[in-house]
Amino acid sequence: MASRALQRMNIDPTILQKLTNRRLFTARDLLIATHLELVEALDITFQAAEELVLCVCNQIAPISSTVLDLHARAKLQLNHLQTQLSALDQQLRGGIPVGGITELAGSVMYIDTEKKFSSRRIVEMAKSRWPHTFHDQETIQSLTEHILVVNPDSSEALVGHIKALEASIIDHNVKLVVVDSIAALARSEFSRDKIVDRQQLLGQQAAILKSLAETFRIPVVVVNQVTAQMYAPSSHAFQGKTTSSGPAAQTQLTAALGTMWAHAVNTRLVLESVADVRFIKVAKSPAAPMAAFAYTITEAGMELLEGHTVPAQVLGSVINMHVAHEFNYEPQEMDI
Amino acid sequence: MLRPLAYLTAGARSAQHLYEKELAARKIITFCGDLDGMLGGGVATGQITEFCGVPAVGKTQLGIQLAIDVQIPAAFGGLGASAVYIDTEGSFMVERVVEIANACIRHLKKLANNDGSATRKEAASKVSRDGMLANIHFFRVRDCTEQASMLAVTQMLPSFIANHPEVKLIVIDSIAFHFRQDFQDMAQRTRVLAEMAQKLMHLAEEKDLAVVLMNQVTTKVLDNNRGSKLVPALGDSWAHAATSRVILYWQEQTRHAFLYKSPWLPAKTAEYHVTADGIRGRRPQKRPRA
């Protein structure tokens, strides 16, 4: 995870000393410089500069595999984490994929915001869903002892934790990372005029999380919020005025954190409700086209419902996708 | 006829020479007729073509389709070549490559059967799913916040290509991911990107291969409450890097492509679809029986 230090590479010691003197410490420092800059800074010939660059590149460039090799390797590994929602798992070709970021986006009714993690709820779900497995003190304890919870209180702390994840993953044999939520801290700490800084930070977080997901072949799940869309859906300049530009006519909800974040996540699952029925929608997936599944929340957690007409999916750009929030706030009778 | 002035300007080539080269440039089809038509036959070798678009519009799907289609045998008008796929996003799915490869092979066999050509039948029989998978060289660039691996791969590409001369397509999916963060100095980013583009362009021309770059979009908020527009990522100076630029976008509920930069083709749009078999065009409407 650390920047590739030139010190640790196989480089001529004289040149290495010159690099250090010129404050070129990492592979990035070296590769960002032009050959001419290196010639001047290190007082070497152009050819020597070329050779130096190639020497470093040889040591850090990723090695290729053929897709056939990837295919063979994939067969030997676990490539998905099942959600146990069978229709959803089928749509996603096995479940939440490893090696990338899966985002769950929905409004605050459905997702616990930060610091609302409940061990009691996890235990209740486990007992209800797998009563034969989690039936006594010992098994319950083995479950709760295998879930590690951290509570960063600032974006900086969050980044620190993410960077330190690599060690934790190795030490504790971690097979799933959940960030709940990725939005809360970012949105509270960065004001409207600091959006660029916020996006930089999110980009950094996304890159590290993806790298971890890929290196350790684990799923990374991040929870996102929804936000009222400030403007009518964005389109390209050449598309002309297909929809009214300017502030949005009515309050439409969309996943928070903007366009760049939408690019960064590999899979986006949106939780929404239409006419009091909850749906989980596959809004972005490299494996599957858009689809939605009705669900409900029970003691055992999320369960898919049969027999509900899925509302006609409006195909379109993920970044403009509305998150439906038609929910009746009237108190409902609870079956005791 | 003007004699070329090569002896006066060393290294210069006549426009005639370049014209012949342009006409001879081979095209990699996409399997969507309208998209191929818009591109003048397909994605051309000898240049950099950039596809940019919103998330989930089909950039990776298109990249995979091209990595398969570059392998279509010469008997079917293809290049019969191999591909390099550089993934920076982590959305590359081997299962999709398998599906798209299988669909391509089915299509070739069908064509061969329909026209009964012995050459085609033989060529189709030699194409296998495993063979196609083996012809795609995959690089996963996995930096956290630095671009060192990405830059290193670009440096190593010329020697990789020299060792694998059958490669005629390089896809970088996406060029945006690593360059949208961690550059304090935008001028430096511009220079680094420009240098990368130069290297890739040189490789495309010298080795007569197609370089395809996938780019993201960014939302540009317009002042005076006029809303926002989508623009290609990586800034205005990046706009000069690619020879041809295509924007992939949604119009109502269908996917479209818009060629808005090309050295000689007119600006044009095309409708395309992402299907289980890969990229395809509009299904012809079935005519009702009389």
Side-chain angles (χ1 to χ4, degrees):
Chain A
M1 211 75 11
S3 313
R4 273 34 118 86
L6 292 168
Q7 288 279 356
R8 295 211 208 100
M9 294 188 201
N10 198 3
I11 299 175
D12 183 291
T14 341
I15 298 195
L16 191 55
Q17 187 56 55
K18 291 187 186 183
L19 286 165
T20 317
N21 293 342
R22 286 304 197 149
R23 308 193 62 74
L24 296 169
F25 299 117
T26 66
R28 181 186 190 267
D29 294 337
L30 183 73
L31 295 179
I32 294 276
T34 62
H35 285 37
L36 263 162
E37 281 168 0
L38 291 175
V39 164
E40 279 175 19
L42 308 175
D43 193 24
I44 53 178
T45 64
F46 194 86
Q47 192 182 351
E50 275 182 327
E51 282 167 8
L52 172 62
V53 168
L54 272 176
C55 164
V56 169
C57 285
N58 255 317
Q59 295 177 56
I60 66 168
I63 302 179
S64 70
S65 308
T66 65
V67 175
L68 187 61
D69 290 337
L70 295 180
H71 184 57
R73 253 180 268 158
K75 286 197 194 144
L76 305 170
Q77 298 164 326
L78 271 173
N79 297 306
H80 295 95
L81 173 65
Q82 288 184 343
T83 62
Q84 304 291 325
L85 306 169
S86 52
L88 178 65
D89 283 341
Q90 214 175 344
Q91 184 75 7
L92 295 174
R93 294 173 196 257
I96 309 272
V98 306
I101 300 178
T102 300
E103 178 199 66
L104 286 170
S107 50
V108 94
M109 279 217 71
Y110 316 116
I111 297 179
D112 281 346
T113 46
E114 267 196 39
K115 298 191 175 74
K116 296 226 169 78
F117 174 82
S118 161
S119 280
R120 284 183 67 169
R121 183 64 177 117
I122 290 237
V123 170
E124 181 188 50
M125 279 201 229
K127 279 188 184 155
S128 176
R129 196 179 273 277
W130 294 286
H132 301 295
T133 319
F134 297 107
H135 54 82
D136 64 10
Q137 172 71 1
E138 202 187 314
T139 46
I140 301 277
Q141 203 165 322
S142 91
L143 166 71
T144 50
E145 281 175 354
H146 280 88
I147 302 173
L148 303 164
V149 183
V150 291
N151 286 127
D153 52 13
S154 69
S155 293
E156 212 182 303
L158 176 58
V159 172
H161 278 296
I162 294 177
K163 282 186 176 164
L165 267 177
E166 187 177 7
S168 304
I169 292 175
I170 298 171
D171 288 341
H172 301 285
N173 193 25
V174 171
K175 295 285 185 213
L176 166 67
V177 173
V178 179
V179 182
D180 178 9
S181 70
I182 198 94
L185 291 169
R187 296 181 77 200
S188 65
E189 288 177 17
F190 292 92
S191 56
R192 190 89 73 79
D193 54 330
K194 289 266 187 265
I195 289 280
V196 173
D197 294 336
R198 187 193 81 174
Q199 297 304 86
Q200 280 272 337
L201 185 72
L202 287 171
Q204 203 186 8
Q205 291 169 355
I208 303 174
L209 288 170
K210 273 203 206 193
S211 176
L212 289 171
E214 182 71 37
T215 310
F216 296 102
R217 303 286 306 154
I218 58 172
V220 172
V221 175
V222 304
V223 173
N224 191 8
Q225 300 170 342
V226 291
T227 182
Q229 253 184 332
M230 276 201 320
Y231 301 103
S234 299
S235 56
H236 293 274
F238 62 83
Q239 286 179 272
K241 286 193 171 179
T242 47
T243 47
S244 58
S245 40
Q250 53 203 123
T251 319
Q252 300 274 22
L253 295 175
T254 189
L257 303 181
T259 312
M260 195 204 73
W261 177 255
H263 274 297
V265 304
N266 300 100
T267 305
R268 170 170 278 179
L269 301 175
V270 173
L271 305 178
E272 56 182 6
S273 73
V274 178
D276 277 349
V277 181
R278 304 189 198 206
F279 291 92
I280 180 165
K281 179 162 78 178
V282 179
K284 177 184 179 187
S285 165
M290 200 194 293
F293 305 92
Y295 74 93
T296 184
I297 308 274
T298 67
E299 207 183 8
M302 263 175 101
E303 303 207 35
L304 290 185
L305 294 171
E306 303 284 321
H308 279 270
T309 344
V310 175
Q313 293 308 308
V314 178
L315 294 174
S317 168
V318 158
I319 54 183
N320 293 332
M321 195 168 290
H322 299 313
V323 178
H325 186 64
E326 300 167 20
F327 204 85
N328 185 356
Y329 284 95
E330 303 277 314
Q332 313 219 313
E333 288 291 318
M334 290 265 294
D335 294 332
I336 310 282
Chain B
M1 190 184 92
L2 288 170
R3 265 180 294 138
L5 302 174
Y7 62 92
L8 280 182
T9 44
R13 295 164 293 174
S14 68
Q16 173 64 20
H17 175 89
L18 293 173
Y19 177 58
E20 285 163 15
K21 225 180 159 202
E22 265 183 73
L23 287 177
R26 293 176 296 170
K27 308 290 198 309
I28 307 169
I29 62 168
T30 63
F31 273 138
C32 168
D34 283 347
L35 194 52
D36 290 337
M38 185 189 83
L39 293 167
V43 171
T45 57
Q47 59 165 275
I48 299 180
T49 306
E50 178 186 317
F51 291 94
C52 91
V54 294
V57 78
K59 301 187 288 295
T60 303
Q61 304 300 310
L62 180 59
I64 295 174
Q65 186 71 63
L66 291 169
I68 291 293
D69 290 352
V70 74
Q71 303 185 42
I72 293 173
F76 294 90
L79 279 76
S82 299
V84 161
Y85 200 103
I86 300 172
D87 176 20
T88 68
E89 304 257 351
S91 287
F92 186 85
M93 291 243 142
V94 175
E95 301 103 312
R96 275 304 274 159
V97 185
V98 168
E99 283 180 349
I100 293 176
N102 283 336
C104 177
I105 294 171
R106 277 198 305 271
H107 184 78
L108 294 179
K109 292 204 156 106
K110 201 163 113 178
L111 279 179
N113 278 336
N114 284 352
D115 68 19
S117 141
T119 343
R120 282 191 167 187
K121 280 211 171 108
E122 203 201 320
S125 67
K126 289 216 181 97
V127 183
S128 72
R129 184 205 71 180
D130 280 4
M132 287 198 131
L133 297 187
N135 284 334
I136 305 175
H137 303 277
F138 180 80
F139 290 83
R140 176 74 172 100
V141 172
R142 210 193 300 156
D143 288 322
C144 312
T145 51
E146 34 176 81
Q147 299 76 23
S149 295
M150 185 70 227
L151 297 170
V153 167
T154 333
Q155 289 278 4
M156 303 301 295
L157 270 177
S159 68
F160 188 90
I161 301 291
N163 291 331
H164 297 89
E166 70 284 0
V167 169
K168 288 295 174 190
L169 168 69
I170 299 174
V171 178
I172 302 185
D173 177 16
S174 69
I175 193 91
F177 186 67
H178 291 295
F179 289 94
R180 293 187 73 177
Q181 4 127 5
D182 203 46
F183 266 100
Q184 312 294 20
D185 181 355
M186 276 299 135
Q188 188 186 60
R189 186 182 85 164
T190 303
R191 186 188 56 69
V192 172
L193 280 171
E195 206 181 309
M196 249 182 89
Q198 275 286 89
K199 289 204 176 84
L200 292 168
M201 190 63 234
H202 186 70
L203 199 53
E205 282 180 336
E206 204 185 65
K207 301 289 181 181
D208 191 34
L209 44 84
V211 172
V212 169
L213 307 178
M214 302 309 180
N215 192 10
Q216 298 175 347
V217 295
T218 186
T219 312
K220 194 170 179 179
V221 176
L222 304 170
D223 43 356
N224 298 327
N225 261 342
R226 282 183 294 134
S228 60
K229 286 290 176 204
L230 295 176
V231 296
L234 301 181
D236 295 318
S237 41
W238 174 251
H240 301 286
T243 325
S244 305
R245 296 185 97 188
V246 177
I247 295 194
L248 305 177
Y249 63 102
W250 286 94
Q251 187 85 23
E252 273 102 49
Q253 298 198 48
T254 1
R255 294 177 163 92
H256 292 260
F258 174 41
L259 177 72
Y260 75 104
K261 179 186 179 188
S262 168
W264 70 278
L265 289 165
K268 213 171 168 191
T269 62
E271 181 185 314
Y272 71 97
H273 294 258
V274 177
T275 72
D277 289 348
I279 303 288
R280 295 292 187 272
R282 219 177 334 170
R283 284 203 80 94
Q285 299 295 344
K286 282 206 157 69
R287 288 209 201 90
R289 284 177 195 261

